[in-house]
Amino acid sequence: MSRLKIAIQKKGRLNESSLSILRECGIEIPNGAGKLIAESSNFPIDILFLRDDDIPQYVHQKVADLGIVGENVLIESRKKVSMLKKLGIAKCRLSLAIPKDIPYEGIRFFQDKTIATSYPQLLQSYLDRQAIRAQIEEISGSVEIVPGLGLAAGICDIVSSGSTLFSNGLKEVELVMKSEAVLIGSEHLEGEKALLLQQLLFRIDAVLSSKGKKYILLNAPNDKIDAIVRILPGMKSPTILPLAAKGWSSLHSVIDEDQFWEHIDELKKAGAEGILVVPIEKMIQ
Ligand code: ATP
Ligand code: MG
């Protein structure tokens, strides 16, 4: 029986979240701090722990069948692998930033300037699209301190909230790309491995579909049911069960969590009582 090999980040932002997606898929992974490889005891998959920059290469060379990396790392690597699924984690953007007290009037600011980045390929193709010629200085870490040292006019780096930029006296001026973590695979998986991948993708879909979704139960007088169903757009076809109390029913449905918070007051006004919102672990569609 063959086993899949999946490469995930050894240490860093994607390590925990990659492991938790696999665990939510029901895959047991032994906790072995510092190990290079871990074998699942209940699904034929081995987990390789690597630096994220190396993952596209390992998948391309078929040392690993699958991998989890940021789209930014995948595109930067220019390796030919398949992008199998967006995972909705590690959402961030690659942006250009400059010192916050320097006036900025558009992309031409960067013409003939030096930009420091760990993503030279992504930056170069962005600058080409914008018809800007600039000097790219490749730096592997702590890019945000470079403008302060006078080594570059600006940087191109990962941003999520913007607080790291801000605390280094920088402001974000252009969006280069949006990124999130993706599942990648070597091209042409065959035989048992292809079947195992289908099983894994099925489980990942079930886990991702349930994200942000809640199961809602509430009680309402029968004559208010229509109004309540209209308030919650996600409640297309709720289950309606009679309560022991005459003239009352219980409504059950799946809704987006955001929707719930937006509509809670309206629901109460419309006559909903005893509202329960419970988590959903998996959802098969
Ligand atoms: P490694 O040591 O494995 O090379 P790294 O330092 O390159 O790690 P991390 O900082 O751990 O990488 O980030 C991993 C990925 O997470 C990035 O490539 C990016 O896709 C995403 N990421 C980085 N910073 C953030 C952030 N602030 N918010 C959300 N996602 C982020
Ligand atoms: Mg890296």
Side-chain angles (χ1 to χ4, degrees):
M1 175 84 188
S2 37
R3 296 176 68 85
L4 284 175
K5 283 202 205 73
I6 184 166
I8 67 168
Q9 196 188 23
K10 183 179 171 61
K11 212 173 94 221
R13 240 166 232 286
L14 272 173
N15 169 267
E16 277 288 317
S17 46
S18 304
L19 282 172
S20 41
I21 287 197
L22 294 172
R23 290 196 167 116
E24 284 172 83
C25 288
I27 295 172
E28 282 169 17
I29 302 162
N31 268 329
K35 278 181 73 174
L36 290 178
I37 186 157
E39 293 169 15
S40 167
S41 50
N42 67 348
F43 192 89
I45 193 164
D46 299 335
I47 294 94
L48 308 183
F49 298 96
L50 299 171
R51 277 205 59 194
D52 67 349
D53 314 61
D54 298 334
I55 291 175
Q57 166 92 11
Y58 274 71
V59 172
H60 176 66
Q61 293 176 331
K62 300 190 192 280
V63 176
D65 306 299
L66 303 171
I68 297 178
V69 280
E71 280 174 287
N72 52 311
V73 169
L74 172 63
I75 301 175
E76 182 66 26
S77 77
R78 297 190 295 172
K79 291 285 178 295
K80 248 185 120 207
V81 296
S82 312
M83 210 236 267
L84 300 170
K85 192 161 285 296
K86 297 202 176 205
L87 298 174
I89 51 173
K91 287 194 175 172
C92 57
R93 52 195 188 273
L94 187 67
S95 291
L96 283 162
I98 64 167
K100 58 173 172 268
D101 42 10
I102 294 200
Y104 183 78
E105 276 157 12
I107 188 74
R108 300 222 42 93
F109 171 89
F110 291 101
Q111 180 68 31
D112 297 321
K113 299 241 168 72
T114 301
I115 308 170
T117 188
S118 309
Y119 299 95
Q121 300 294 337
L122 282 165
L123 177 57
Q124 187 62 62
S125 53
Y126 175 80
L127 293 174
D128 290 347
R129 288 198 301 278
Q130 304 288 329
I132 296 293
R133 192 183 55 236
Q135 173 76 31
I136 297 176
E137 197 64 53
E138 188 175 348
I139 291 196
S140 60
S142 305
V143 173
E144 62 282 355
I145 65 164
V146 170
L149 302 175
L151 297 174
I155 64 166
C156 174
D157 203 11
I158 298 289
V159 184
S160 61
S161 68
S163 61
T164 308
L165 288 184
F166 187 78
S167 58
N168 285 287
L170 299 171
K171 62 181 174 192
E172 192 177 351
V173 292
E174 301 288 344
L175 173 72
V176 174
M177 79 171 281
K178 286 192 177 159
S179 176
E180 66 184 85
V182 290
L183 179 72
I184 58 173
S186 51
E187 294 181 313
H188 318 301
L189 272 189
E190 277 161 14
E192 279 178 16
K193 285 198 174 180
L195 284 177
L196 288 173
L197 173 60
Q198 288 317 313
Q199 287 176 23
L200 180 65
L201 285 172
F202 178 83
R203 293 187 188 194
I204 292 178
D205 278 337
V207 170
L208 296 183
S209 311
S210 68
K211 292 257 183 271
K213 296 271 196 279
K214 298 284 169 188
Y215 195 78
I216 182 168
L217 305 93
L218 58 85
N219 296 334
N222 288 343
D223 58 347
K224 301 283 170 55
I225 290 176
D226 285 347
I228 288 173
V229 171
R230 256 179 273 126
I231 294 171
L232 286 178
M235 255 192 166
K236 279 211 187 70
S237 184
T239 306
I240 300 177
L241 302 168
L243 290 185
K246 244 190 159 6
W248 281 74
S249 295
S250 166
L251 273 71
H252 301 194
S253 191
V254 174
I255 56 163
D256 286 334
E257 183 164 24
D258 304 349
Q259 237 179 46
F260 169 75
W261 290 115
E262 269 171 42
H263 296 296
I264 178 74
D265 289 334
E266 279 175 82
L267 279 178
K268 288 199 322 212
K269 263 189 225 125
E273 290 181 13
I275 304 172
L276 282 181
V277 179
V278 293
I280 300 175
E281 206 175 281
K282 314 274 190 302
M283 217 163 103
I284 319 293
Q285 282 172 328

